[in-house]
Amino acid sequence: MARKKRKGTKVFEDVEEDEDDVEEDEDDVEEDEDDDDDDDDDDEAVSATVAVGALRQVARFFVPYLRPYTKGLLWLLSGVVIETLYNMAFPLCLKYLIDEAIGEQDHEVLIWILGIMGGLWVIVSTTTLVYEYQNARLGSQVLGDVRRRLFVHLQSLTMGFYERAKVGDVLSRFSIDLSALDEVVMHGISWGILPLLELVAGLVLLFLLSWPLALVATLVFPLTLLGPRLLSPKALVVSYQQKQQEGSTLSVVQENVTAQPVVRAFSLRGVALGWFDTANRGLVTTSIQAHFLRILVERSVSIIILLLHLLILAVGAWLAFHDHITIGTLVTFESVFWELSSNMGHFLDFLPSLIEGASATQHINDLLTAPTHPKEPADMPALPRFSREIVFQHVSFSYTGAKRQLRDIQCRIPCGAHIAVIGPSGAGKSTLVQLLMRLHDATAGTIEMDGHDVSAYSRDSLRAQVAVVFQENFLFDLSLRENIRLGNQQATDAEVEAAAQAAEIHTFIQSLPQGYATMVGERGVRLSGGQRQRIAIARALVRNPAILILDEAASALDQATAAAIHQTLHAVSQGRTVISVTHRLASVVESDVIYVLNNGRLVEQGPHALLVQRNGLYRKLWNSQGLVETERRPRQR
């Protein structure tokens, strides 16, 4: 059946394994650009991957995803085989139509051949419609599974990845790269597998029709691979650079959208445009190179195929002129050869898409191979409810191994105590509480809760006892009720409203036309900073946590709003263990113990009255904020 011309698509590559002969770092890519002749071995490996190993890579990639769809896959392959047989039977019918029916003027044979051809058309047309639907259905399901795997993988990545990664670069995997995979899945059968099957069947038919002419065709046909062989390695390298540049450009756009208040407030439109223009120019340059090289791969094939047709026609005409073959055989041979050329063209036209797809899956593989949290055993025990004390035993931590963010921390946090963690920027305050929540695991030492090493228990059972109010609290584009309920998804409406009352936001919510059903907008843009903080407090309280962590919970607010938030936090924290990370020392005066960090070390600890009397770091920070020493008021328990 005829295949409609389409734009180039993309190919899958195995993301389960590292393809050392395909993956190159950016320095290697630059070397390839400067001097391709010096890397013939690498080019040959890449070329083999693209031209010869592409289908093998696709099959290997899809094996785990196709297992649940074995029945549908068999139906799909059956349809492909039927269409292949039809495309080979049609030229044979043409031969007998010319030689036996028309040449011999046999009316009965003419009717039989036309009837057979019509019957085959009905069968293959019905089959084609069925298997194309099955292809669309199977392809969509498999892509959905790939998309889900990517999203699940994102949930298991370490916090270190998110602290380094660019949002736009991550999103490009779900947009640009998955779009490439979608193209390959939907067109891989008709533009990849079916042409290859018809090439094999067609070569067999050529030898059956005329082995001398078929021998000439097979000897010169490999010339069509010369262009792709020479151009594919360079095209793959440039296409991968294009993927990287697309991710960088998306990151610039995403950052600009997020930072619009800063851009407008500081009149940075020109600066932002300059950043975008730099990224966009790089993308334009690499896109020109990538698209042109992919087109060259296709055009080099079509030019050589036209030359081969002239040669085959000349040789075939000479054989027919001297009665070595019949006119029907010549016409049929030429028809089959045109079909083979078309199939080779279809497949080699697919090569630019395979190149682009290979770079897309390489880009995806970079994400899928990023370090993840070690998977917890299914029988990991749950941490008992906190009741006595938390102990940091010689805890050290490093993000990269080169520099330690925390060094030999030793401290105790009694149950029910209000603890403050203070220190200069970069001292390790937030890192300390992240270790307690196991957003990171300690590099050395242990964190114990009631004598239990928290690393020996499931993360979820630990985090179920903890609630956090951050400096910038993310609100989802859900209703106010659902944003609060995220703290405890089993919470009833009454419990949600009770938490809102405790956070002193209930009255405001009720004053809204839609009350708790009010949508907050993306990132909670429809609320003020103080209102967002109170929603975050309510979300923490509905969790009924044993431990409440306040990570700079009011530092981003104006003084009046921050004071009101502190009063609310003071009221709701009674009876709970509270760990407050802050640089506003006026808010820590009533803390039971203040831990002072500097350069990752615990340099001072004690109540405010004791620390302020010393001439240490705490006293210097206190004086630097222009605070007046006051007598510590007893905290009501």
Side-chain angles (χ1 to χ4, degrees):
M1 301 292 286
R3 279 180 287 276
K4 188 178 180 181
K5 184 73 175 175
R6 63 169 183 84
K7 293 191 286 187
T9 56
K10 307 170 180 70
V11 72
F12 288 95
E13 184 178 330
D14 183 10
V15 297
E16 302 284 352
E17 304 173 5
D18 289 332
E19 294 288 342
D20 294 334
D21 56 347
V22 176
E23 289 200 6
E24 303 171 347
D25 58 31
E26 294 182 8
D27 293 336
D28 292 336
V29 170
E30 291 176 2
E31 289 178 11
D32 286 340
E33 286 185 318
D34 295 337
D35 192 356
D36 290 330
D37 294 336
D38 292 341
D39 295 309
D40 289 339
D41 293 337
D42 291 339
D43 284 352
E44 199 162 313
V46 174
S47 179
T49 299
V50 175
V52 179
L55 291 179
R56 175 183 59 84
Q57 294 169 17
V58 169
R60 188 170 56 206
F61 175 84
F62 273 118
V63 165
Y65 298 105
L66 288 173
R67 286 196 185 105
Y69 309 107
T70 304
K71 184 177 179 181
L73 182 62
L74 290 175
W75 278 105
L76 184 58
L77 294 178
S78 298
V80 172
V81 171
I82 291 173
E83 184 173 0
T84 302
L85 293 175
Y86 172 80
N87 289 336
M88 293 303 100
F90 189 88
L92 282 176
C93 291
L94 180 63
K95 169 181 166 53
Y96 287 108
L97 187 66
I98 294 173
D99 290 340
E100 304 297 333
I102 299 175
E104 300 295 332
Q105 295 292 299
D106 192 326
H107 183 268
E108 185 177 353
V109 173
L110 178 64
I111 297 300
W112 269 102
I113 293 176
L114 292 176
I116 291 172
M117 294 175 72
L120 291 176
W121 175 83
V122 172
I123 294 173
V124 77
S125 297
T126 304
T127 301
T128 301
L129 291 175
V130 172
Y131 94 67
E132 287 291 2
Y133 170 76
Q134 185 63 38
N135 183 41
R137 182 171 177 267
L138 182 62
S140 297
Q141 289 173 328
V142 169
L143 278 175
D145 293 342
V146 174
R147 192 178 297 110
R148 188 178 189 279
R149 183 193 171 198
L150 273 172
F151 189 81
V152 169
H153 186 73
L154 287 177
Q155 314 313 306
S156 63
L157 292 172
T158 63
M159 285 301 297
F161 170 85
Y162 289 103
E163 289 161 358
R164 297 186 303 270
K166 295 181 179 179
V167 175
D169 196 39
V170 174
L171 293 180
S172 69
R173 268 81 169 195
F174 286 86
S175 55
I176 298 171
D177 295 332
L178 277 177
S179 176
L181 301 188
D182 180 78
E183 288 274 347
V184 172
V185 168
M186 296 310 170
H187 299 284
I189 295 292
S190 58
W191 288 79
I193 296 176
L194 187 59
L196 286 181
L197 289 177
E198 291 183 1
L199 277 171
V200 175
L203 286 173
V204 173
L205 184 56
L206 288 182
F207 276 95
L208 290 176
L209 291 170
S210 173
W211 70 264
L213 199 54
L215 192 60
V216 173
T218 54
L219 287 176
V220 297
F221 213 68
L223 290 176
T224 58
L225 300 175
L226 183 62
R229 168 64 184 88
L230 296 175
L231 297 172
S232 293
K234 180 68 174 179
L236 178 61
V237 171
V238 176
S239 185
Y240 182 61
Q241 290 178 327
Q242 182 188 12
K243 292 297 172 190
Q244 293 178 312
Q245 195 66 44
E246 285 170 347
S248 298
T249 304
L250 274 176
S251 294
V252 172
V253 175
Q254 184 273 335
E255 186 176 56
N256 180 264
V257 171
T258 304
Q260 273 301 300
V262 176
V263 171
R264 293 171 186 269
F266 288 90
S267 300
L268 298 177
R269 293 180 182 179
V271 176
L273 182 58
W275 294 337
F276 177 79
D277 284 342
T278 299
N280 194 41
R281 279 194 297 269
L283 178 56
V284 169
T285 300
T286 54
S287 295
I288 291 171
Q289 295 174 350
H291 289 306
F292 182 64
L293 284 171
R294 287 196 289 267
I295 292 300
L296 280 182
V297 172
E298 176 187 350
R299 289 298 183 184
S300 65
V301 173
S302 62
I303 291 172
I304 295 175
I305 284 177
L306 288 175
L307 179 62
L308 294 183
H309 273 294
L310 290 175
L311 178 61
I312 295 300
L313 185 60
V315 175
W318 186 89
L319 292 174
F321 186 81
H322 290 86
D323 294 327
H324 294 299
I325 60 175
T326 66
I327 298 298
T329 299
L330 175 59
V331 172
T332 302
F333 192 98
E334 181 63 16
S335 174
V336 174
F337 193 71
W338 269 109
E339 183 67 20
L340 286 179
S341 302
S342 177
N343 285 322
M344 179 62 76
H346 290 326
F347 182 74
L348 294 179
D349 181 44
F350 199 49
L351 270 185
S353 303
L354 294 179
I355 294 168
E356 190 175 354
S359 63
T361 52
Q362 184 177 342
H363 197 219
I364 290 175
N365 196 38
D366 292 341
L367 177 62
L368 290 175
T369 55
T372 61
H373 280 295
K375 190 174 182 179
E376 294 182 336
D379 58 350
M380 197 79 163
L383 187 67
R385 183 76 175 180
F386 176 50
S387 61
R388 297 196 305 276
E389 66 174 359
I390 300 169
V391 179
F392 284 73
Q393 296 270 27
H394 302 284
V395 171
S396 297
F397 175 74
S398 172
Y399 287 105
T400 63
K403 177 184 178 181
R404 287 188 293 177
Q405 278 67 43
L406 292 176
R407 304 166 182 265
D408 196 31
I409 301 297
Q410 298 184 70
C411 63
R412 294 176 179 271
I413 302 175
C415 181
H418 283 205
I419 305 299
V421 182
I422 66 105
S425 297
K429 304 185 294 296
S430 294
T431 303
L432 187 73
V433 297
Q434 288 175 359
L435 292 182
L436 176 59
M437 293 185 290
R438 293 195 65 196
L439 298 180
H440 301 286
D441 284 324
T443 306
T446 60
I447 300 174
E448 297 179 356
M449 187 177 291
D450 296 340
H452 304 291
D453 183 351
V454 296
S455 64
Y457 296 84
S458 70
R459 293 186 184 91
D460 287 343
S461 65
L462 166 64
R463 293 168 186 168
Q465 304 184 44
V466 180
V468 190
V469 180
F470 295 102
Q471 177 179 354
E472 292 291 337
N473 285 282
F474 190 97
L475 298 186
F476 294 85
D477 190 13
L478 302 169
S479 69
L480 290 167
R481 185 185 304 280
E482 291 306 312
N483 264 287
I484 296 173
R485 185 176 277 130
L486 288 175
N488 176 9
Q489 297 181 51
Q490 284 71 47
T492 64
D493 288 351
E495 289 172 332
V496 168
E497 293 178 16
Q501 287 177 332
E504 300 180 359
I505 194 68
H506 175 72
T507 302
F508 166 75
I509 294 175
Q510 283 190 320
S511 69
L512 299 173
Q514 294 179 293
Y516 279 87
T518 301
M519 301 297 291
V520 302
E522 187 175 359
R523 301 178 66 90
V525 294
R526 298 172 186 169
L527 303 175
S528 68
Q531 290 164 349
R532 286 196 296 270
Q533 286 299 88
R534 291 189 183 278
I535 295 296
I537 294 170
R539 182 170 62 191
L541 294 179
V542 79
R543 199 172 182 83
N544 189 27
I547 304 167
L548 181 61
I549 296 176
L550 310 175
D551 192 355
E552 301 282 10
S555 62
L557 304 175
D558 61 82
Q559 187 172 358
T561 304
I565 292 292
H566 276 303
Q567 290 181 355
T568 300
L569 290 172
H570 179 75
V572 302
S573 63
Q574 301 305 313
R576 305 180 193 276
T577 304
V578 178
I579 302 174
S580 177
V581 176
T582 183
H583 68 272
R584 288 185 173 181
L585 301 191
S587 65
V588 306
V589 173
E590 297 183 10
S591 299
D592 296 313
V593 180
I594 301 170
Y595 291 111
V596 185
L597 296 179
N598 190 30
N599 293 324
R601 295 186 182 276
L602 180 59
V603 295
E604 290 183 287
Q605 58 180 297
H608 165 76
L610 176 63
L611 294 179
V612 82
Q613 291 176 4
R614 299 174 180 173
N615 191 25
L617 178 60
Y618 182 84
R619 179 59 181 260
K620 293 178 181 179
L621 293 173
W622 178 267
N623 292 338
S624 69
Q625 294 186 16
L627 299 174
V628 178
E629 185 177 346
T630 59
E631 183 180 353
R632 179 179 182 271
R633 293 170 293 174
R635 181 175 62 86
Q636 296 180 354
R637 293 182 179 269

